[in-house]
Amino acid sequence: MNSWDAGLVGLLVGTMGVSLLSNALVLLCLLHSADIRRQAPALFTLNLTCGNLLCTVVNMPLTLAGVVAQRQPAGDRLCRLAAFLDTFLATNSMLSMAALSIDRWVAVVFPLSYRAKMRLRDAALMVAYTWLHALTFPAAALALSWLGFHQLYASCTLCSRRPDERLRFAVFTGAFHALSFLLSFIVLCCTYLKVLKVARFHCKRIDVITMQTLVLLVDIHPSVRERCLEEQKRRRQRATKKISTFIGTFLVCFAPYVITRCLHYILKKSKTRRKETRSCVGLLKEPECLLSTEGKAEPVEKIWT
């Protein structure tokens, strides 16, 4: 094991510990607070937390074993199950965060009718949709035998070992990332942009009232006036910081998962094209090879077609 693998093992162990502790604390809060459980966002939070715990308990130990052993950590069936869960849980987590952003959008834009628009039944329907959406792609990958151990990622995930299925697998991977990561990211940006506009509108109204009050209170102490102005500045930045933190967390958690797989496919495709180009150049330099035997002529026909 080199230093890179040792650092990756340490990162995985630390991530597992933090994930177990933080998600366990969230579950304890949900169990001990009846007021939180009665609210619709509790279902989205519970769905996200259970998915994170399941990923921490099942997938991350297998990935850790694959990094340490540098080979498939379990049997084919268990590896396919872990790959199925990995794809399902990643998609479910993305869609759960998108559902949370929709809930916040309804709460901010329609505050008076929020309880009527976002009931527990509506939240349960949204969670059911996230499950159905998240199950679609791993089920299709399982039917097409595109689940297994990937040596580059040292984990059980989406993979295709047959060269003739490369194009189909690329289309499937693109559709999977577009309808999971990209869709969730677009929903996050659209909903929180609207939330930010509403928050800034209310901040402007509060600022007008604050300035009118400060003008009327002529005998107010200068320190009180300064504190009011400082609170006015913090109020303008508070919503932006919260929204940036939420979207930034989404990108930090899921963007590496998508970018590494897309880059791997692009680099692999460019490498294959370079090999084919070199083969064609070599055959053009030695035309007598084309006519030597019928067996040697078949690969040449495949290259040119």
Side-chain angles (χ1 to χ4, degrees), residues 143-298:
L144 295 169
S145 300
W146 286 345
L147 297 175
F149 181 76
H150 201 297
Q151 189 67 38
L152 180 63
Y153 306 125
S155 63
C156 299
T157 183
L158 289 172
C159 64
S160 176
R161 297 182 178 88
R162 296 177 59 182
D164 58 330
E165 293 182 342
R166 189 175 299 161
L167 180 60
R168 291 172 59 196
F169 183 72
V171 173
F172 175 83
T173 305
F176 167 61
H177 293 314
L179 294 175
S180 57
F181 174 78
L182 186 60
L183 176 64
S184 302
F185 181 66
I186 291 173
V187 171
L188 282 171
C189 292
C190 293
T191 53
Y192 279 117
L193 180 62
K194 186 64 177 178
V195 169
L196 184 60
K197 287 182 179 179
V198 174
R200 286 181 174 176
F201 173 74
H202 288 300
C203 284
K204 288 180 180 178
R205 293 181 60 187
I206 296 173
D207 292 344
V208 170
I209 297 172
T210 302
M211 294 305 297
Q212 290 176 351
T213 305
L214 292 177
V215 170
L216 292 174
L217 297 175
V218 181
D219 298 332
I220 192 172
H221 196 273
S223 61
V224 178
R225 185 187 297 270
E226 290 178 2
R227 283 200 300 269
C228 291
L229 295 175
E230 289 177 0
E231 179 63 26
Q232 185 179 2
K233 293 179 181 179
R234 285 196 296 266
R235 193 185 302 113
R236 293 174 183 172
Q237 299 174 355
R238 194 174 300 144
T240 305
K241 287 181 179 178
K242 288 182 178 180
I243 292 172
S244 301
T245 301
F246 195 86
I247 297 178
T249 303
F250 177 85
L251 291 176
V252 169
C253 291
F254 299 111
Y257 178 87
V258 178
I259 292 172
T260 52
R261 280 153 177 78
C262 293
L263 285 177
H264 172 250
Y265 174 75
I266 293 171
L267 294 175
K268 188 176 180 180
K269 189 175 181 180
S270 62
K271 189 182 294 183
T272 303
R273 287 182 175 177
R274 284 199 299 269
K275 287 182 179 179
E276 291 178 354
T277 304
R278 289 173 185 173
S279 300
C280 293
V281 172
L283 290 171
L284 288 172
K285 289 180 179 178
E286 300 179 3
E288 64 273 8
C289 294
L290 301 178
L291 304 175
S292 59
T293 61
E294 184 180 357
K296 291 182 180 179
E298 290 178 358

Side-chain angles (χ1 to χ4, degrees), residues 56-77:
T56 304
V57 172
V58 177
N59 290 94
M60 295 186 73
L62 287 175
T63 303
L64 181 62
V67 173
V68 173
Q70 296 295 319
R71 59 182 176 83
Q72 185 170 317
D76 291 337
R77 290 185 178 179

Side-chain angles (χ1 to χ4, degrees), residues 70-105:
Q70 296 295 319
R71 59 182 176 83
Q72 185 170 317
D76 291 337
R77 290 185 178 179
L78 183 58
C79 191
R80 283 196 295 269
L81 176 62
F84 185 94
L85 285 176
D86 176 68
T87 309
F88 166 71
L89 294 174
T91 309
N92 183 54
S93 297
M94 297 178 197
L95 295 175
S96 296
M97 294 187 73
L100 279 169
S101 69
I102 293 173
D103 174 80
R104 293 299 87 198
W105 171 71

